[in-house]
Structure formats: structure tokens, C-alpha cells
Amino acid sequence: MVTLTVNGQTHNVDADGDTPLLWVLRDHLGLTGTKFGCGMALCGACTVHVDGAPLRSCVLRLTAVAGKTVTTIEGLSSDRSHPVQRAWIELDVPQCGYCQSGQIMSAAALLANNPVPSDQDINAALAGNICRCGTYVRIRKAIHRASELQRASKSAS
């Protein structure tokens, strides 16, 4: 039994400690927003935050996240109000959409650490996220827009 916190809720998971976090999220907790892409941490579709850092859940063992805080796409916001989600919707970023939860999670982690990223910062932060549809230009625009929304939200507070 491994205890972990996912999206603010504590869970006791009865799974082998070597089970990849991705499968615990999807199969044990029913959180299917995190996608299986390659299974080798190469495509980024399975990106989640562990203590705020974007990590690939397909290769991250359950025991590695025991006692840590995990945030999935479902936990970013319950109503799509996170600036990255708002920007993604506003700019109609997805094409097929399969990679987008990983793209969004990587973008949210970037903006948490760098609220005004340059194109180079965005390229570096999302280099491990592959979009087979090639929506990279829209992704970059959405990250800049999310940065604006985030700053406006903080100014209004």
C-alpha cells in the first residue's frame, strides 16, 4: 500500500511499487486525462507535476511519488480557469488533442517558474513534448497569452 496525494486528495493505492504512476492514475484512480504516448518518457503525453516539477508519469514508479504531491490535468483547475487552459481554449490550440494534456502541464510548470518566458524559454521547456499534428506555433502563442492572463489576474487581485 502506497500513500500519495493527487490533486489535493490523499489516496492509499494497493499496487506494486514498481507500477508506473501513469497506470496508477488511469487504472486505480480513474484519472484518464494523463495520456499514454510512448511509454519511454520521450513524447510528453503523460506529463504530470510532482511537487510542482513536470515529470513523465509513464516511467515514474509509484514508490518514487510516495509522500509527494501529484497534480494531473484534472487537478490544474476544476473549471478550466487556469490561465493556460483559458489560453488554450481562446486560441483553439488542439488539433487531434492527444498530446495536449502533457503540453498544458509542461506549459503550466514553465509559467509557475518563469511568468514571462521568451520563445527560447518555451522551446526549451516544451522540447520533450511532441505534437504529431504540429500545433507548435499555436502552443507557443497560447503560452504567451497565458502569461498575459496570469499577470492580469495577479494585477487584479
Side-chain angles (χ1 to χ4, degrees):
M1 191 74 67
V2 176
T3 302
L4 66 153
T5 302
V6 179
N7 300 333
Q9 296 183 337
T10 301
H11 299 274
N12 292 312
V13 178
D14 187 16
D16 185 274
D18 287 337
T19 304
L21 176 61
L22 172 66
W23 300 117
V24 170
L25 295 171
R26 293 180 62 80
D27 297 343
H28 293 264
L29 303 181
L31 299 170
T32 57
T34 303
K35 304 299 183 198
F36 174 79
C38 66
M40 299 181 292
L42 300 172
C43 73
C46 67
T47 303
V48 298
H49 297 172
V50 177
D51 290 341
L55 297 176
R56 307 301 190 245
S57 64
C58 70
V59 296
L60 191 58
R61 302 294 172 223
L62 179 58
T63 54
V65 296
K68 296 186 179 184
T69 301
V70 177
T71 305
T72 68
I73 188 74
E74 293 93 343
L76 204 53
S77 77
S78 61
D79 60 358
R80 298 182 184 142
S81 63
H82 188 282
V84 175
Q85 292 170 314
R86 289 175 48 207
W88 243 248
I89 293 165
E90 181 181 315
L91 297 177
D92 197 23
V93 172
Q95 189 163 321
C96 85
Y98 197 82
C99 70
Q100 295 304 306
S101 62
Q103 301 277 2
I104 288 169
M105 295 305 287
S106 291
L110 168 64
L111 291 175
N113 294 312
N114 182 352
V116 188
S118 67
D119 283 348
Q120 289 177 331
D121 296 331
I122 293 169
N123 292 345
L126 275 79
N129 291 80
I130 297 171
C131 175
R132 291 185 288 172
C133 299
T135 64
Y136 299 111
V137 172
R138 291 194 312 247
I139 288 168
R140 190 177 305 110
K141 284 181 184 176
I143 293 171
H144 286 299
R145 177 64 179 140
S147 173
E148 293 169 2
L149 292 169
Q150 184 173 279
R151 289 191 314 263
S153 174
K154 287 182 180 177
S155 298
S157 312

